[in-house]
Amino acid sequence: MKTLVYPRLLLSLILLFWMANAGATITLVGTSGDSTGNPGTGFTLSRPGGTASGDVLLAQLTTRRMNNVSTASGWTLLQHNISGELEMRTFLRVAQESEPTQYTWGLTPDPGAPGLVRIAGAIASYRGVDPLSPIGGQGHQSGSGNTVTAPSLTVGPAGGQLVTLFANANGGATLTTPGGMTSVSFQQIGAGPNGATIRVTHEPRESGPTGSRVSTSGTSTNWVAQSFVLNSGAAMGPHHIRLLHSGQGLTCTSVPVTVQACADADCSALFTDPVDVSLATSLSGGTWSQNPVPVTGETTVHLRYLAGGAITLLASAPAATNETQCVNTSGGPPCQITFADVGVLLDGDGDDGITKSDVPEQIAGKPSNTGYNAAVQRVRVVRTDDETGACVAGLQNAELTAQFSYLVPVATDGLADNTLIIQAATTATLTSSGAPESVNLMFGSDGSAPFSFQSMDAGRYALRVDLDIPVFDESNNPTGDVIPSYDTSNMFVVRPLAVYVGAVDNPAAADHEGDPFKKAGEVFDLTFKSLRWQPGLDGNGDGRWDGCGSVMLSDPGVYAWVPAWNIGQPAVDLTLPTGGINPGLTYSSGDAVFAQGTSETAAEVSFGEVGIIRFETSVAFQGVGVDVCSSNIGRFTPDHFHVALVNQPSFQPACGTFTYLSQPFTYATAPQVRITARNRDGAITQNYDGPWWRLSHISPDYSHGGPDSLPDGVVFVEMATHDDPIQCNGCQGEVTVGFGGEFTYDRNGDPVDPINGAVRVEFEVVDADGVAFPGNPFVFTIGFEGGNDEQRWGRLEMQNAHGPELLPLTVPMYTTYFRDGAFRLNTEDNCTAIDASDIALDIQLSGGTTSASVVNTPASGGRLDVRLNAPGAGNTGYVDVTPDISVSNGADLPWLTFDWDGDGTLRGPEARATFGVYGGNERHIYIRELP
C-alpha cells in the first residue's frame, strides 16, 4: 500500500472537506472510461462528472502488449499485475480544489507487436472516503480460465467500500458482476483474443472479512483481479463505551473498573483516538480515582463506595454513537457493583504490596508462579476497620474450603471447555466455565491464602472464588454462622506462547545453494499452530519462544486451543538475499483464521520473488502480542523465463546486395536476446541476481533458415560466438546476451542456383534448477539487410585477347554466377577486388616486355579486366595471364575458383593475350586472299 503525501495547504483543505462531510457513507460520485487499439504514446481519461475536492478517485488501466505505462501527474500507482500479455494497473488520486478535467498516462507500446497494442481504462470517483488513509486493504490474484476471482480482504472497524476490478484477455468477453455487488464500469476493447475486457464493481461493507468475489466469463483466457477496501471517513468517535468490573467490592478499598472505547458492536477492536469519558454512580457517594477520564483504547480507574450496598455504574462520552455497555465478570447484573464491609479479595499479584491487583497476562500451559509474569495469587479475607475504615485481616491462621471457577465474561473471547488447574493447599482441575471445584486454602496471619493456577488453553478469562467466611463472637469463638462472599479477578489474557508456521515439504534452505522449494508466485499451503508453553521453550522467562528466528525451527508438538482468532495475513521477512526485494506473501485464501476451540489453521499463499523467507513477526491476541515464527521457508526460484529479441538482427551481405557461396558474412546488426526471470504472474523476479542467478549457459544451434532445404553440395558452416558464461551481478533478474561470429554457406559440388542465406538460431533456456522458458526452444531467424539474402555460386572468368604490338591490349576478366543452368555476368558485383600484384604474366614475346594493370578494382558491374602495356614495334608473341585468387598468396577469393580442368581442382581462370598476330573476326568461318 502506498503512503500518500499532500502539500500542507491541500491537506488543510481536504481535512475541512472531510470534517464537513463527517457522518456520510461512501458514495459513488461518477465514472468515466474509454478503450482503444493502437493508442500511440498516451491515453487520456476524463474526470468523472461531479467530482469535488476531497473525493477519492480510483483508475484502472488494462493493457495488451504494452512495454510501460507511466503514471499520470498527481496519481499514485497502487498495484501492477501481469498475466501473460495482459497487464492491469490501478492508480489513486485525491481530488483537489482546481482539479484537471482530464488525465493522461504515458505509454510505451511493444514495438514488436505493431497493430496489436490495446488499452482500456476506467475511473471511479468516491465521496466519504478517508482522504488521509483511503486504502484499508488491497490484494490481487491472476490466472487463466473463465472464473475470475478477486481475493478476500478485511474491512476495518469503521466499515468501508469494497471495490473489485476484473480484466481478461479477450475484447469480446463478458465479465459478470459478482453476487451482492453493483457494477461501476464495463469496457470492451474488441479484437477478440487480441483485445481485453474490464469490469469494476463495488459493495458497502461492515467490519470483518469480505470473502472472495467471483466474475465469470464465457471465454477461457488469462485474467487479473484486484480487491481494494476504501476506508470510510465517517467514523468520528467510538461505537460505544464499555465498563468491565468484578461485580463485588469492599468498603475498605477501591474496585478497579476498566473503561474501553469500542470501535464496533462487540468490541472486537478498540477506538484508538483519545475520548473523554465522564463517570458516575446511581447513588451519591461513589468516588472515582479520575473523572472524567481520557481513554485511548482502554484504561483502568478505581471506584470507592464507603456506604456499602449495590450501586449502578454510569458513563457517557459525547463522541460515542451508542449507549454504554457493562460486563460483570462475576455474572451478576451488568452494571452493578455490590460493596460489603466483610468479604474476600482475589489478589492477582499477592506480593506487590497492593491489597487487590490484577492477574497479569498469562501464557497457555505455564504455571502462573513460574517464568514470565510470575506471581503468587492470594485470596484475602478482609473487613473494614470500624475506626480507620482501612482493610484489615478478617481471618487468620485457618484452613478453609473455597470454591474456585473460571469465567468467560465475553463468550467469544475464551473457551467454555478450557482446562484450568488451581494449586493451593489442595489441587483442583476446572474443566468447564462457571463450574466450581473445591480447593482448600491455608490462611496465614495476614489473612491471605496463596495459590497459583495454570490455564492450558488460550483466551480471556476471569477467576472467581466463593468462600463462606466464619463468624466469630467477641471471645473469638466461632458462632457457627457464615458470611457468604465471593470475588472475581480482572479479565486477564492467556495467550499462546507463539504461533508456529510450517510449510509442507519445505527444505528450509540456508542459502542460495539450498534445495528449491517453490517457484515464485506458485501457491503453497501454510499451517499456523498456536503453541502451549512447556519447560525448555522459554528458558529465559521473557515470555517468548526461544527458538524464534532459528533457520531450522521445528514444531514442538504441544498446542493450545484458542477462541475464534483472525490473525490476518502475517507478514514475512526476506532472510536472503540480503537487501533484496520482499513483495510479501499473497494470501489467496484470505485471512488465516483459527476456528473456535482449535489450535491449527491453514492458508494458501504464494511468494512472488526469489529467495528465502521466514516468519519473525507478531499478531494481536486479545490486545497482546503473540510471536509468529517459522524456520527458513524456501528456496524460491523464478517460475519461468521470458526470452525476447531486443533488436532486429541482420546480416551484412558480403558483396553489396548478395553474398557468394563460400564467402564469409557477418552481422550488420548482431542479435541481442533479453532473458528475464519472472514469477507466475509475469513480474520480474529482481532477487534473481548475483549468486541467486543460476542460468550460466545457453547452447545455440545454428542452421540454414531459408524457406527451402539446402541443395546437395552446399553446407552451412558457422563460427558463432555469444556471451558465455552468462553473468548477472546487479542485473535484477534480467540479462541481455550478445551474439557475434562469422558464417559461410560452403559450396562443394556442382553449380546451383542462388539460395536464401537466412540463418536459424535456436537454444534452450533452462537454469540449474530446471526453471525454463515455456516456449523452449527459443527460435529466431536472421536475414540480410534490405532483403539481400541471395547466396550465389560464382566464378571468375577471362577471355583471350588479340591486338597489335603497338597498342595496349585489354584482356576481359569478370565475375559470373550460376542461374537457370548457365553462368551469367554478375552485374551486381561491385566488390570483388584483384590487384595487379595478383596477376601472373608468362611473357613469350620476340622482344621487349609488358606489364599488367587491373582496369576496375573493385569490379564495376561485375567487370574487372586486365590491361597489358604495348610491347613495342616488332615485339610480337603472346602473354599468358593468370590471376592468383588463392587464399595463401593471392587475392583471397576462393569463392570465385572453379574446376576448369574437370580434375576436381579448383583454381582461378587464365587467358592468352597475343601481340602482332591478327586474331581475325569471330564472325568469319574461313577467309583467304584471291589472286
Side-chain angles (χ1 to χ4, degrees):
M1 184 169 64
K2 303 290 185 181
T3 300
L4 305 182
V5 180
Y6 305 102
R8 182 176 300 173
L9 176 59
L10 173 59
L11 179 63
S12 301
L13 294 171
I14 290 172
L15 281 170
L16 289 171
F17 179 88
W18 181 40
M19 295 173 66
N21 286 275
T25 58
I26 296 177
T27 57
L28 178 67
V29 176
T31 63
S32 65
D34 196 8
S35 63
T36 184
N38 305 312
T41 59
F43 181 69
T44 299
L45 291 175
S46 298
R47 180 187 67 201
T51 298
S53 176
D55 290 346
V56 171
L57 288 75
L58 275 182
Q60 175 199 20
L61 268 65
T62 296
T63 61
R64 295 285 303 275
R65 304 174 189 88
M66 188 73 67
N67 280 359
N68 188 49
V69 175
S70 59
T71 303
S73 177
W75 291 80
T76 298
L77 177 65
L78 297 180
Q79 286 198 40
H80 175 199
N81 307 123
I82 303 172
S83 181
E85 292 181 344
L86 181 73
E87 300 186 48
M88 186 198 294
R89 294 170 172 85
T90 303
F91 304 85
L92 180 138
R93 175 185 177 92
V94 177
Q96 305 176 38
E97 282 293 327
S98 55
E99 188 68 7
T101 59
Q102 59 185 22
Y103 317 98
T104 298
W105 284 262
L107 306 178
T108 306
D110 182 354
L116 297 176
V117 179
R118 305 284 186 266
I119 186 168
I123 299 178
S125 176
Y126 288 95
R127 186 163 298 157
V129 179
D130 181 351
L132 303 183
S133 179
I135 302 298
Q138 57 180 298
H140 80 278
Q141 291 184 177
S142 60
S144 180
N146 55 14
T147 300
V148 185
T149 304
S152 174
L153 300 175
T154 299
V155 181
Q161 190 88 354
L162 173 65
V163 181
T164 55
L165 305 97
F166 304 94
N168 72 3
N170 189 294
T174 58
L175 283 171
T176 62
T177 300
M181 303 194 78
T182 301
S183 180
V184 174
S185 180
F186 179 72
Q187 298 287 330
Q188 289 179 312
I189 301 177
N194 293 317
T197 297
I198 64 173
R199 185 179 290 279
V200 182
T201 64
H202 68 187
E203 174 190 3
R205 296 287 302 181
E206 298 295 329
S207 63
T210 64
S212 58
R213 293 292 186 269
V214 177
S215 175
T216 59
S217 169
T219 303
S220 179
T221 185
N222 290 337
W223 58 264
V224 175
Q226 298 175 351
S227 299
F228 294 91
V229 170
L230 300 180
N231 286 333
S232 172
M236 300 299 289
H239 182 275
H240 67 276
I241 301 299
R242 185 166 78 168
L243 306 178
L244 296 92
H245 59 91
S246 64
Q248 282 289 115
L250 293 171
T251 56
C252 65
T253 188
S254 60
V255 174
V257 177
T258 299
V259 184
Q260 294 180 324
C262 300
D264 50 24
D266 59 3
C267 212
S268 61
L270 297 178
F271 186 77
T272 55
D273 290 339
V275 178
D276 286 334
V277 179
S278 297
L279 303 168
T281 56
S282 58
L283 299 175
S284 61
T287 303
W288 298 91
S289 59
Q290 185 177 7
N291 189 24
V293 58
V295 179
T296 302
E298 71 174 32
T299 192
T300 298
V301 295
H302 290 79
L303 172 65
R304 183 131 186 219
Y305 187 58
L306 299 177
I311 59 173
T312 300
L313 305 183
L314 305 172
S316 63
T321 56
N322 293 277
E323 294 183 356
T324 298
Q325 300 179 14
C326 299
V327 175
N328 185 335
T329 59
S330 67
C335 292
Q336 182 174 294
I337 298 179
T338 300
F339 287 84
D341 293 331
V342 179
V344 295
L345 293 176
L346 201 159
D347 188 358
D349 186 350
D351 297 328
D352 64 356
I354 301 174
T355 304
K356 180 177 173 66
S357 301
D358 286 346
V359 175
E361 170 193 325
Q362 299 294 308
I363 299 175
K366 182 189 74 68
S368 62
N369 61 352
T370 299
Y372 176 70
N373 275 354
V376 174
Q377 286 73 45
R378 292 182 180 273
V379 175
R380 302 183 186 274
V381 176
V382 298
R383 63 179 178 84
T384 303
D385 187 273
D386 293 336
E387 296 181 0
T388 65
C391 291
V392 296
L395 182 70
Q396 294 176 315
N397 303 318
E399 183 173 350
L400 297 178
T401 298
Q403 300 294 311
F404 271 88
S405 59
Y406 73 85
L407 307 175
V408 185
V410 180
T412 56
D413 286 356
L415 301 174
D417 57 353
N418 183 18
T419 296
L420 195 147
I421 301 169
I422 303 293
Q423 181 72 50
T426 60
T427 300
T429 300
L430 312 179
T431 58
S432 180
S433 171
E437 295 288 341
S438 297
V439 178
N440 287 355
L441 296 173
M442 185 63 70
F443 289 89
S445 59
D446 64 351
S448 73
F451 75 95
S452 63
F453 70 96
Q454 182 179 13
S455 176
M456 305 309 292
D457 295 313
R460 189 189 293 266
Y461 303 100
L463 290 176
R464 173 167 171 155
V465 60
D466 288 78
L467 182 67
D468 289 338
I469 302 173
V471 177
F472 295 85
D473 61 18
E474 293 179 354
S475 300
N476 203 31
N477 295 314
T479 66
D481 294 331
V482 296
I483 300 174
S485 182
Y486 72 91
D487 192 24
T488 304
S489 74
N490 62 298
M491 282 175 35
F492 57 89
V493 172
V494 182
R495 64 168 173 86
L497 173 65
V499 173
Y500 170 75
V501 187
V504 178
D505 297 327
N506 170 35
D511 54 32
H512 63 277
E513 295 181 344
D515 291 339
F517 173 49
K518 296 292 181 182
K519 295 182 177 181
E522 179 182 359
V523 174
F524 61 96
D525 292 330
L526 290 177
T527 56
F528 297 85
K529 299 179 181 181
S530 58
L531 299 184
R532 179 181 290 167
W533 180 95
Q534 66 176 0
L537 294 184
D538 179 20
N540 59 8
D542 65 355
R544 307 182 71 177
W545 184 16
D546 296 339
C548 280
S550 300
V551 173
M552 295 295 293
L553 186 65
S554 59
D555 183 353
V558 287
Y559 312 116
W561 288 1
V562 296
W565 182 24
N566 185 337
I567 65 172
Q569 300 180 8
V572 292
D573 291 338
L574 180 71
T575 303
L576 290 171
T578 302
I581 292 174
N582 180 7
L585 289 178
T586 296
Y587 284 75
S588 54
S589 58
D591 291 353
V593 180
F594 288 85
Q596 182 85 2
T598 62
S599 61
E600 181 177 331
T601 188
E604 291 182 347
V605 301
S606 60
F607 182 69
E609 255 296 350
V610 165
I612 298 170
I613 59 175
R614 186 164 63 221
F615 283 90
E616 290 186 67
T617 186
S618 64
V619 294
F621 177 82
Q622 308 288 355
V624 300
V626 176
D627 288 338
V628 179
C629 311
S630 75
S631 64
N632 280 2
I633 300 176
R635 178 173 51 92
F636 292 89
T637 70
D639 179 75
H640 64 277
F641 290 106
H642 179 264
V643 186
L645 279 167
V646 297
N647 62 358
Q648 186 62 50
S650 63
F651 291 115
Q652 180 68 49
C655 193
T657 59
F658 70 95
T659 303
Y660 285 110
L661 291 173
S662 292
Q663 185 178 21
F665 55 91
T666 57
Y667 292 110
T669 301
Q672 290 185 317
V673 174
R674 181 172 295 138
I675 301 176
T676 307
R678 296 184 182 268
N679 64 20
R680 186 148 294 189
D681 289 338
I684 298 175
T685 51
Q686 298 183 55
N687 294 345
Y688 193 66
D689 198 342
W692 298 83
W693 179 275
R694 295 174 65 83
L695 175 67
S696 57
H697 300 281
I698 59 172
S699 299
D701 180 67
Y702 298 82
S703 61
H704 172 55
D708 301 318
S709 58
L710 288 179
D712 292 341
V714 178
V715 178
F716 174 71
V717 178
E718 53 89 5
M719 290 179 287
T721 63
H722 66 276
D723 295 339
D724 186 63
I726 299 172
Q727 296 181 336
C728 169
N729 293 298
C731 74
Q732 297 186 323
E734 189 171 62
V735 297
T736 299
V737 179
F739 291 73
E742 185 176 270
F743 305 85
T744 308
Y745 281 94
D746 272 354
R747 55 180 201 174
N748 291 303
D750 295 333
V752 297
D753 283 349
I755 66 167
N756 185 305
V759 175
R760 185 177 191 267
V761 185
E762 66 175 86
F763 53 86
E764 303 268 340
V765 178
V766 183
D767 76 356
D769 294 318
V771 178
F773 169 52
N776 271 337
F778 181 68
V779 179
F780 59 96
T781 299
I782 309 170
F784 286 73
E785 276 199 331
N788 298 310
D789 53 18
E790 274 197 357
Q791 300 272 323
R792 297 178 175 179
W793 211 107
R795 70 182 183 184
L796 182 67
E797 296 187 22
M798 298 187 75
Q799 291 180 350
N800 295 334
H802 311 272
E805 71 274 21
L806 298 177
L807 296 175
L809 183 61
T810 298
V811 180
M813 183 171 67
Y814 47 90
T815 58
T816 63
Y817 73 101
F818 190 82
R819 185 189 293 273
D820 298 331
F823 282 95
R824 61 185 64 192
L825 179 65
N826 195 352
T827 58
E828 295 178 42
D829 187 343
N830 297 302
C831 71
T832 299
I834 300 176
D835 292 335
S837 59
D838 298 322
I839 305 296
L841 301 179
D842 182 8
I843 303 173
Q844 300 294 326
L845 297 173
S846 59
T849 189
T850 187
S851 62
S853 62
V854 179
V855 177
N856 299 308
T857 184
S860 176
R863 303 200 66 89
L864 294 99
D865 297 335
V866 177
R867 176 170 294 180
L868 298 178
N869 293 329
N875 297 322
T876 61
Y878 66 89
V879 177
D880 288 334
V881 182
T882 306
D884 184 358
I885 58 175
S886 66
V887 174
S888 57
N889 299 311
D892 193 10
L893 301 171
W895 50 88
L896 294 179
T897 61
F898 186 68
D899 183 7
W900 295 100
D901 303 319
D903 60 359
T905 300
L906 301 177
R907 61 178 179 81
E910 59 184 27
R912 175 165 291 182
T914 304
F915 287 95
V917 178
Y918 177 59
N921 190 325
E922 292 181 354
R923 299 180 64 183
H924 294 173
I925 299 175
Y926 174 77
I927 186 171
R928 71 180 178 87
E929 185 177 350
L930 293 175

